[in-house]
Amino acid sequence: MKAWLWDGQQGMDHLRLSESPDPVPQEGEVVMEIHYAALNPADRMLAERRYPYPVDPTLPHVLGRDGVGTIVQVGNGVTDVHVGDQRVILRGDVGVYRWGTFAERVSMSARTLVEVPAGWTEEESSGATLVYLSAYHALSMWEPLKPNSVVLVTGASGGVGLAAVQLAVAMGHTVVALSRSEEKQRRLREFGAAFTFSPEDPLWSSAAQEALGFRGVNLAVDTIGGMLLPQVIETMGELGRISLVGELGGSVPDFYTGTLFSRRLRIGAMAVGYYTPEENHAAWRDLTAILARSGARPQVDRVFPFDQLPRAFDRLAEGPMGKVVLRVKP
């Protein structure tokens, strides 16, 4: 099979398309022929040695943790997945501790698979699981939100951000979305965001509070961090909660914890990898039912041929609206 191999050296220029042995399923595993694989910022972070968790995969390594395809081999002990079944990778160690989906075939635990949701295309399904799971856990990791709560989403046009907007809207909440692009702000309103602001506007937090009638934000899903986090805290209402999902903005400067006390705010980090397969399967069933009731669908920005993975990563770096997808099988 062909696979994009990473030699472990820092940088995206250390990926090369090569011939590699086909995987063989072990006990409880299957082999999937990949049709489409989706890119994530975490893939680039791993290749650039900036991954926030201690990961040291066997080299050479194949990146890619999202994908959809057909089961072509089944290992011993697997009874609920069969050769010929179409499946989506939900969440596992693929692309992190073992070879990932930027290859024509990949082996994985059968417990990490789900069916393609009804009505979704393969392109839509290929990049949906990780972002929607992350968004769902970020929205539900605290005590249940009251109806029509105010949810603030930073980096709202990114993968997790857009998924959080769609889910929060489908749950019946008032969504405030942040994006630097006016065009993306317009599209976020089409997805149901009640208010949109640019984080580059120094007065955005004041404008958001005024637009909300000074209600205050009940839950913030923050994918950025950095200098933006203190401004997010300014918008929070009494007993507000902040779910940290990413840190694209880097470290938080001059953070004063005293700002949390008067409103009894809580800040917590969401890491989708720490949820059990059972928890992720339950979350997936819940969130796909929510999306089905609202009619929301995953958004695909562009699809690239398999041999153009570097160009696909360039597109990802440009900040697309929706997922960047790799067509592995012609």
Side-chain angles (χ1 to χ4, degrees):
M1 71 170 188
K2 291 183 179 180
W4 281 94
L5 300 182
W6 174 51
D7 64 11
Q9 299 298 308
Q10 185 176 13
M12 303 304 296
D13 55 340
H14 288 274
L15 294 172
R16 70 183 189 280
L17 185 59
S18 304
E19 288 288 341
S20 300
D22 286 349
V24 177
Q26 303 301 310
E27 180 85 17
E29 293 184 349
V30 300
V31 172
M32 176 188 287
E33 180 186 64
I34 299 295
H35 295 176
Y36 293 89
L39 281 62
N40 288 286
D43 299 318
R44 177 183 288 275
M45 293 173 70
L46 184 56
E48 293 178 345
R49 292 290 186 180
R50 298 186 294 110
Y51 203 63
Y53 307 104
V55 175
D56 191 20
T58 301
L59 299 174
H61 182 58
V62 178
L63 301 169
R65 57 198 70 194
D66 277 334
V68 63
T70 301
I71 305 303
V72 293
Q73 285 183 276
V74 174
N76 292 332
V78 178
T79 59
D80 56 348
V81 183
H82 306 91
V83 171
D85 287 349
Q86 185 187 47
R87 290 292 186 269
V88 185
I89 301 171
L90 180 62
R91 179 67 182 85
D93 53 4
V94 167
V96 184
Y97 300 102
R98 63 190 299 166
W99 279 22
T101 56
F102 299 153
E104 292 180 323
R105 294 190 173 194
V106 62
S107 62
M108 70 206 75
S109 168
R111 299 171 65 204
T112 65
L113 299 173
V114 292
E115 295 183 8
V116 175
W120 289 17
T121 67
E122 283 194 317
E123 292 96 326
E124 292 170 339
S125 304
S126 66
T129 52
L130 185 59
V131 293
Y132 279 113
L133 278 179
S134 298
Y136 179 86
H137 288 313
L139 290 165
S140 61
M141 61 186 282
W142 308 100
E143 60 272 15
L145 288 171
K146 295 179 180 179
N148 194 31
S149 292
V150 177
V151 176
L152 169 68
V153 181
T154 70
S157 59
V160 176
L162 181 55
V165 169
Q166 290 179 302
L167 282 171
V169 169
M171 293 173 178
H173 301 308
T174 299
V175 174
V176 180
L178 300 187
S179 176
R180 293 175 296 179
S181 164
E182 290 186 4
E183 172 60 21
K184 290 177 180 178
Q185 288 183 42
R186 182 190 65 79
R187 293 195 61 194
L188 287 165
R189 290 191 293 272
E190 292 178 352
F191 285 116
F195 306 103
T196 58
F197 302 96
S198 170
E200 294 181 336
D201 179 357
L203 300 178
W204 77 262
S205 59
S206 299
Q209 293 176 67
E210 183 176 354
L212 292 167
F214 300 97
R215 288 173 58 189
V217 171
N218 301 110
L219 173 65
V221 177
D222 183 20
T223 68
I224 304 298
M227 297 179 63
L228 188 59
L229 181 59
Q231 299 173 43
V232 169
I233 292 173
E234 291 179 12
T235 70
M236 303 304 297
E238 183 80 10
L239 298 176
R241 307 293 183 247
I242 303 175
S243 298
L244 304 180
V245 184
E247 38 77 59
L248 296 175
S251 60
V252 181
D254 302 323
F255 179 62
Y256 175 52
T257 57
T259 59
L260 307 177
F261 295 135
S262 62
R263 287 166 288 167
R264 294 178 289 171
L265 307 182
R266 291 189 200 173
I267 300 177
M270 193 295 302
V272 71
Y274 291 120
Y275 289 88
T276 66
E278 293 74 20
E279 289 172 327
N280 280 328
H281 275 274
W284 182 251
R285 289 192 296 270
D286 194 14
L287 73 88
T288 51
I290 292 170
L291 293 173
R293 289 194 296 269
S294 71
R297 300 275 290 265
Q299 299 300 303
V300 176
D301 173 78
R302 282 184 64 183
V303 179
F304 287 84
F306 185 49
D307 62 356
Q308 294 183 15
L309 181 61
R311 285 187 57 197
F313 270 112
D314 289 342
R315 176 58 186 161
L316 183 66
E318 293 172 0
M321 186 113 178
K323 296 296 293 186
V324 176
V325 173
L326 198 65
R327 183 189 297 111
V328 180
K329 182 178 180 180

